[in-house]
């Protein structure tokens, strides 16, 4: 898709030879190493790069939002006027009126202590010279513009009463309040579900066409770039390695790193398990509900997270569970492993897990392992990698000597392509991808039959995701593992799963082979998800 | 909100009951009694006194009798301050303590939040180091050092203020006690505000406010300080209860007729009724101010308003 390029090529916002250095206790760290970027009226420039590439730091520096230990040099101009180093008072005449910004974190970017209406009014009163009453009227119009229902009620709401997508719409409305010339959007849809993401992107495009905005769109998601950007700049380690028209960069990437990013889209397909494969796990009418505290005076109510789900897992199969946040997919995974109480019947290799005694269940735990989404939070910071990986062996194979355990740790680390020599280091010395490998090694060391993978790649950059997917597929082929693969990322599910189950509001709305679900979705909700993910090819 | 407040006050009744019961029996566990003086009284006199004050009755009867009197609002007579009832002692002393403590708290909150905010805005620069030093000194130097020092400097050497005494509540006599009470609180409030402000200033909502070019006052006060003040509010409740129920050190050194001395003196003299009266008053203050804190908290933070 190609965005319409407006006739004018007037540059409104430009960074020249911008450098950002942070003074840290370990000496200066260069985050941005002299980059040049510019964006014209009505144009969308996408800045892509993986985490740590300095793309956010560059725009934060341009907006004067970096912490005190940052040193910025070079030039930032708005319509030819130098704004780097302007006194705050003068910079404030541009910030929030001519230059506005939407942040990555919709959940925390709004002040929780003020109503939506009050916060949105502030820039209008400050820059537009409106009275609070006039600002309020304008706020209602803006909320309507970004597609928020019942604007009167929403203006009186506090941020915690809105969903992430609604909050991001509020941020965009706030950014547009004073008819800005430049909108900087720093990963504005990363924290949102795919369907929400899609509607926010359409909104931005629509508004750009109507208002002739220049948009600087920072993202790591190449699908978004392809959909939205006229031009793209690729950043790596603080420098722009390639810049050009989106079509050209995607069709004929000049730099090796750009090619690597483009190739990083998860690819490959999983062969379905043979039809005669033995049954590993069966679940019938599994439901999970939580008690919701109704407050001091209201009686507690029950929230049904998983509602009557049936599933069958055959040996060697990968069942993908997709759905948006709150659809109950993670809770289902935990219920199957008996980590949360549930009703219904779950059998593992013919043994009923529902009424099983804790002691017998513990023996089965060895066969069923779980890998979590957050590679930062799920590893104990106080244990060495070797200790983390072998902790399960202490419980399940207590007869092993420490030498044998160590050998098993080395073996498990080698399997996930980590150097066994690193087993005496602590988790914080590893990158996100390496930590996820450690978490996988911890599961594999017990030689399980079933592994529940709960968004194992969501916190990782695309290039790292691809490596993890290949690793997981390799382990599955080598050991005949069965996976329950939970993810909201359809591109990853497509590459991992042979069967897919789509969940919404705790129920399964559609299931079938990966082929069917992606090529020929039947339910409207599935179609929406697949379209929103704009799968390549 | 009103319903919530009433519920909380009702919930305080069992708490008070437990406190009263525990205090009643604990003080009776201490050896001796109100009439054990250095020079023992004659047995006959002692017997008469015990009978007049029902101290010869079984303990459970005394307990029930005390509860009954309390329900009628009667705190009983003081054993040591003869001719005074406990209620009379408090009605003359408590207003003085509340006034001094309340003024000290307001002073501490004003100065402490200002200093803490300035320190956070100038993080790791001279102003910040200065504020931290003042705060550390304020906490480490105890009031029984500060009080005589202030009295010596401003009362004796400079002669600006009375060195001690109450002067029937003239304003000049209140300044040094209030300052002495306020100083450690200034220190704590400064530290709490500074820590919370440093965090608030780098928070996402404040970043948004800065990115939208809002003026300094809006960024710092409207957005950052409103969230940074929450830990100070939590601290101010118990602090208010402690300050308003008097301080024995300050009252003794400056000769202020507040209620702070009663607790220690009453406990030492086994003045049972006065000890119980003090316990009830302090407990009521703590419960009341904790409720006030929760209400203020809900006013500031809408997220806890409907919980």
């Amino acid at each position: 898709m190609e965005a319409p390029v407006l006739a004018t090529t007037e540059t409104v916002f430009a960074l020249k030879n911008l450098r950002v250095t942070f003074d840290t206790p370990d000496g200066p760290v260069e985050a941005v190493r002299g980059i040049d970027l510019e964006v014209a009226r009505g144009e969308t420039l996408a800045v892509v790069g993986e985490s740590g590439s300095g793309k956010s730091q560059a725009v934060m520096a341009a907006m004067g939002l970096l912490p005190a230990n940052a040193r910025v040099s070079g030039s930032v101009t708005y319509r030819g006027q130098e704004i780097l180093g302007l006194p705050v008072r003068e910079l404030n005449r541009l910030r929030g009126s001519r230059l506005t910004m939407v942040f990555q974190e919709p959940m925390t970017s709004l002040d929780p202590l003020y109503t939506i209406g009050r916060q949105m009014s502030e820039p209008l009163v400050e820059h537009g010279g409106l009275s609070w009453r006039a600002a309020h009227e304008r706020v209602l119009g803006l909320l309507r513009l970004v597609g928020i229902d019942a604007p009167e009620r929403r203006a009186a709401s506090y941020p915690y009463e809105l969903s992430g997508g609604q909050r991001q719409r509020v941020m965009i409305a706030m950014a547009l309040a004073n008819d800005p010339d430049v909108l900087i959007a720093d990963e504005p849809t990363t924290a949102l579900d795919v369907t929400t993401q899609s509607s926010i992107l359409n909104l931005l495009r629509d508004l750009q066409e109507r208002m002739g905005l220049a948009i600087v769109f920072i993202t790591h998601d190449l699908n978004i770039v392809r959909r939205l950007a006229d031009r793209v700049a690729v950043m790596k380690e603080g420098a722009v390695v390639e810049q050009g028209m989106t079509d050209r960069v995607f069709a004929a990437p000049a730099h090796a790193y750009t090619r690597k990013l483009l190739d990083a889209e998860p690819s490959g397909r999983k062969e379905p398990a043979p039809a005669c494969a033995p049954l590993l796990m069966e679940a019938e009418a599994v439901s999970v509900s939580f008690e919701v505290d109704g407050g001091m005076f209201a009686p507690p109510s029950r929230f049904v997270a998983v509602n009557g789900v049936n599933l069958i897992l055959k040996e060697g199969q990968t069942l993908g569970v997709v759905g948006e946040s709150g659809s109950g997919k993670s809770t289902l995974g935990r219920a199957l492993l008996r980590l949360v109480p549930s009703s219904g019947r779950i059998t593992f290799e013919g043994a009923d897990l529902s009424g099983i005694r804790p002691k017998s269940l513990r023996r089965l735990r060895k066969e069923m392992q779980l890998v979590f989404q957050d590679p930062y939070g799920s590893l104990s910071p106080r244990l060495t990698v070797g200790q983390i990986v072998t902790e399960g062996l202490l419980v399940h194979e207590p007869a092993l000597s420490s030498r044998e355990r160590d050998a098993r740790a080395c073996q498990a680390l080698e399997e996930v392509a980590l150097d066994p020599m690193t087993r005496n280091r602590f988790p914080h010395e590893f990158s996100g991808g390496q930590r996820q490998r450690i978490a996988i090694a911890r599961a594999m060391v017990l030689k399980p039959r079933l592994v529940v993978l709960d968004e194992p790649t969501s916190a990782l950059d695309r290039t790292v995701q691809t490596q993890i997917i290949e690793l997981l597929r390799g382990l599955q082929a080598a050991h005949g593992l069965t996976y329950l693969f939970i993810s909201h990322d359809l591109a990853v599910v497509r590459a991992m799963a042979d069967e897919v189950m789509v969940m919404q509001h705790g129920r399964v709305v559609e299931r079938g082979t990966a082929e069917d679900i992606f090529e020929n979705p039947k339910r409207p909700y599935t179609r929406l998800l697949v379209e929103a993910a704009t799968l390549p090819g | 909100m009103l319903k919530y407040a009433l519920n909380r006050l009702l919930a305080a009744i069992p708490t008070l009951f437990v406190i009263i019961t525990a205090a009643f029996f604990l003080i009776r566990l201490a050896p001796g009694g109100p009439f054990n003086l250095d020079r023992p009284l004659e047995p006959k006199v002692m017997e008469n006194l015990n009978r007049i004050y029902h101290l010869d009755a079984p303990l459970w009867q005394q307990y029930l009798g005390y509860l009954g009197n309390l329900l009628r609002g009667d705190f009983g007579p003081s054993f040591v301050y003869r001719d005074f009832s406990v209620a009379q002692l408090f009605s003359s002393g408590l207003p003085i303590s509340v006034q001094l403590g309340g003024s000290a708290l307001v002073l501490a909150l004003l100065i402490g939040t200002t200093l803490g905010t300035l320190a956070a805005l100038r993080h790791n620069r001279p102003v910040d180091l200065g504020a931290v030093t003042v705060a550390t000194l304020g906490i480490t130097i105890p009031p029984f050092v500060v009080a005589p020092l202030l009295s010596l400097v401003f009362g004796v050497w400079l002669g600006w203020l009375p060195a001690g005494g109450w002067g029937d509540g003239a304003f000049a006599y209140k300044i040094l006690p209030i300052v002495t009470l306020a100083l450690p609180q200034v220190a704590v409030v400064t530290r709490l505000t500074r820590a919370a402000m440093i965090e608030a200033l780098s928070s996402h909502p404040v970043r948004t406010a800065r990115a939208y070019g809002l003026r300094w006052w809006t960024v710092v006060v409207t957005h950052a300080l409103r969230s940074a003040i929450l830990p100070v509010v939590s601290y101010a409740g118990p602090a208010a209860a402690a300050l308003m129920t008097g301080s024995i050190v300050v009252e003794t050194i400056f000769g202020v007729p507040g209620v702070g001395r009663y607790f220690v003196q009453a406990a030492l003299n086994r003045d049972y009724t006065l000890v119980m009266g003090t316990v009830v008053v302090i407990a009521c203050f703590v419960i009341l101010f904790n409720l006030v804190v929760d209400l203020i908290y809900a006013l500031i933070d809408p997220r806890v308003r409907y919980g």
Side-chain angles (χ1 to χ4, degrees), chain B residues 47-303:
Chain B
E47 207 174 286
N48 280 337
L49 279 171
N50 278 343
R51 199 173 54 244
I52 294 168
Y53 289 106
H54 304 295
L55 291 176
D56 53 350
L59 200 54
W60 63 269
Q61 268 184 14
Q62 293 186 37
Y63 172 65
L64 290 182
Y66 183 77
L67 282 186
N69 288 338
L70 207 56
L71 283 179
R72 286 192 295 276
D74 179 6
F75 285 86
S78 169
F79 291 118
V80 176
Y81 299 90
R82 309 279 158 78
D83 308 329
F84 287 101
S85 73
V86 171
Q88 282 169 328
L89 288 174
F90 276 107
S91 67
S92 69
L94 197 57
I96 294 172
S97 291
V98 167
Q99 196 192 15
L100 289 186
S103 312
L105 184 71
V106 170
L107 190 69
L109 287 176
L110 287 178
I111 298 177
T113 48
T114 312
L115 264 183
T117 305
L118 289 178
L121 286 170
R122 301 272 177 278
H123 188 31
N124 285 339
R125 280 191 266 165
V127 179
D128 184 25
L129 294 178
V132 172
T133 312
V134 169
T136 314
L137 284 179
I139 290 173
T140 49
I141 304 181
F144 55 79
V145 176
V146 173
L149 261 178
L150 288 176
S151 177
L152 189 66
V153 173
F154 293 98
V156 180
W157 291 347
L158 296 173
W160 292 349
L161 294 167
W166 186 235
D168 276 338
F171 180 65
Y173 287 88
K174 293 177 185 166
I175 294 176
L176 288 183
I178 289 176
V179 170
T180 310
L181 282 173
L183 277 179
Q185 307 302 328
V186 169
V188 177
V189 173
T190 303
R191 288 175 47 143
L192 284 173
T193 312
R194 174 179 175 271
M197 269 305 267
I198 287 174
E199 207 186 305
L201 285 172
S202 61
S203 72
H204 288 157
V206 170
R207 181 184 68 184
T208 306
R210 287 171 60 211
Y212 280 81
L214 305 183
R215 62 189 64 220
W216 184 90
W217 181 266
T218 313
V219 173
V220 172
V221 179
T222 319
H223 288 286
L225 191 57
R226 178 156 168 181
S227 72
I229 207 77
L230 287 172
V232 178
V233 171
S234 308
Y235 171 76
L243 283 170
M244 291 187 188
T245 48
S247 148
I248 180 162
V249 175
V250 170
E251 288 175 13
T252 309
I253 292 174
F254 291 106
V256 176
V259 294
R261 352 168 236 150
Y262 292 154
F263 200 33
V264 178
Q265 284 172 6
L268 290 177
N269 295 328
R270 310 287 184 270
D271 189 343
Y272 296 147
T273 44
L274 189 52
V275 166
M276 292 306 298
T278 317
V279 166
V280 171
V281 166
I282 292 180
C284 286
F285 268 76
V286 170
I287 288 168
L288 181 71
F289 280 101
N290 275 330
L291 174 62
V292 169
V293 160
D294 286 350
L295 294 181
I296 295 179
Y297 214 99
L299 274 182
I300 297 179
D301 190 342
R303 285 167 298 181

Side-chain angles (χ1 to χ4, degrees), chain A residues 93-105:
Chain A
R93 264 184 236 138
L94 298 174
R95 291 199 293 198
S97 65
R98 308 289 86 222
L99 302 168
T100 56
M101 190 156 179
V102 175
F103 297 97
Q104 181 175 1
E105 305 87 357

